[in-house]
Amino acid sequence: MRLILLTIFIALYCSVLVDESSGHGYIADPPSRSSAWRFGFPTVPNYDDNQLFCGGLDYQWKKMAGKCGICGDPYGGPLDNELPNGKYAKHLVITRSYKKGQRVDAKVNITANHMGFFQFKLCEGKTMAKEVTQDCLDSHTLQVLESKDKFKYNVPSEKPKVYTVPIKLPDDVQCERCVIQWTYTAGNSWGQCPNGTYAEGCGPQETFRGCADVKIA
């Protein structure tokens, strides 16, 4: 009986540890669809805007083969942050206006830090009736300034805080509404590395995303 109780206790304790190990965060500037309400915009509040993690590590990688919604929703739905019917996208607003080729100091609020890296991608929104595609976003990865990796921002510490990331908008893109997609790939899961060894930060990792709607003049 004691052995059974001890086993249950260990299982519960480990589940708590696993839950606490999850990273959390959101893009604060430009404010994302789920976070715009925090900055005075008249949008539907998402009080879990720091938990847009593609449905979770197991769901994303074991059930969806690594696929994630455009804005961090589970790939299989519900797509609450995507056009045309997502509850956080129905009344979306342009949260920032920029100029072509401008340097933008993006701000990311990481509330539970597990290292890894950020990427920023851009796609022009042609219509409010249809969401941008991942293929379009993937073809316009934004340059990260002052970084050893031209297209990635490697999280420099384990502190939960607001990180400022200087990125450069394209010189040849002008739009009434463009979508900036922020992706945070955590680096704390254990997995197989390309060389066949195993280490923390290798293999499938927890992924977070956010979409911000901006104008580029």
Side-chain angles (χ1 to χ4, degrees):
M1 184 64 178
R2 289 181 179 178
L3 181 59
I4 293 173
L5 290 173
L6 179 61
T7 302
I8 294 172
F9 173 79
I10 291 174
L12 289 172
Y13 179 71
C14 289
S15 70
V16 171
L17 289 181
V18 169
D19 182 64
E20 289 183 347
S21 70
S22 298
H24 292 86
Y26 60 88
I27 179 170
D29 198 357
S32 70
R33 295 174 186 176
S34 264
S35 304
W37 61 277
R38 294 183 180 275
F39 305 96
F41 292 97
T43 56
V44 178
N46 180 4
Y47 300 107
D48 294 320
D49 57 345
N50 67 338
Q51 299 186 59
L52 299 179
F53 45 39
C54 312
L57 183 65
D58 285 346
Y59 176 86
Q60 180 185 359
W61 292 99
K62 292 181 180 179
K63 293 186 177 181
M64 293 293 143
K67 294 180 180 179
C68 178
I70 297 294
C71 305
D73 299 310
Y75 186 77
L79 302 176
D80 289 337
N81 288 273
E82 291 188 24
L83 291 170
N85 299 316
K87 62 182 177 181
Y88 303 119
K90 282 184 176 180
H91 307 292
L92 64 80
V93 295
I94 302 298
T95 57
R96 291 289 185 267
S97 293
Y98 302 119
K99 294 182 179 180
K100 292 190 298 183
Q102 181 179 335
R103 168 189 167 129
V104 173
D105 287 330
K107 290 181 170 51
V108 176
N109 189 354
I110 297 299
T111 56
N113 190 331
H114 289 289
M115 302 302 289
F117 63 90
F118 307 153
Q119 280 190 307
F120 299 83
K121 299 181 179 182
L122 179 80
C123 180
E124 182 178 357
K126 302 289 187 180
T127 170
M128 295 294 285
K130 190 175 182 181
E131 191 55 77
V132 299
T133 66
Q134 191 59 49
D135 285 343
C136 177
L137 290 160
D138 290 343
S139 65
H140 297 89
T141 302
L142 298 180
Q143 180 181 351
V144 178
L145 304 174
E146 304 169 13
S147 172
K148 292 181 179 179
D149 191 313
K150 186 176 180 180
F151 298 107
K152 291 182 181 178
Y153 176 84
N154 295 299
V155 180
S157 77
E158 296 183 3
K159 293 181 179 180
K161 67 173 190 176
V162 176
Y163 289 87
T164 300
V165 186
I167 58 177
K168 184 182 182 300
L169 298 179
D171 294 323
D172 57 351
V173 174
Q174 181 176 327
C175 53
E176 287 300 312
R177 184 179 69 87
C178 278
V179 176
I180 292 181
Q181 179 197 61
W182 161 74
T183 299
Y184 171 30
T185 302
N188 65 313
S189 293
W190 184 272
Q192 187 174 13
C193 303
N195 63 3
T197 62
Y198 287 80
E200 188 177 55
C202 289
Q205 301 292 321
E206 187 176 38
T207 307
F208 289 79
R209 276 186 175 161
C211 289
D213 299 277
V214 304
K215 178 179 179 178
I216 301 178

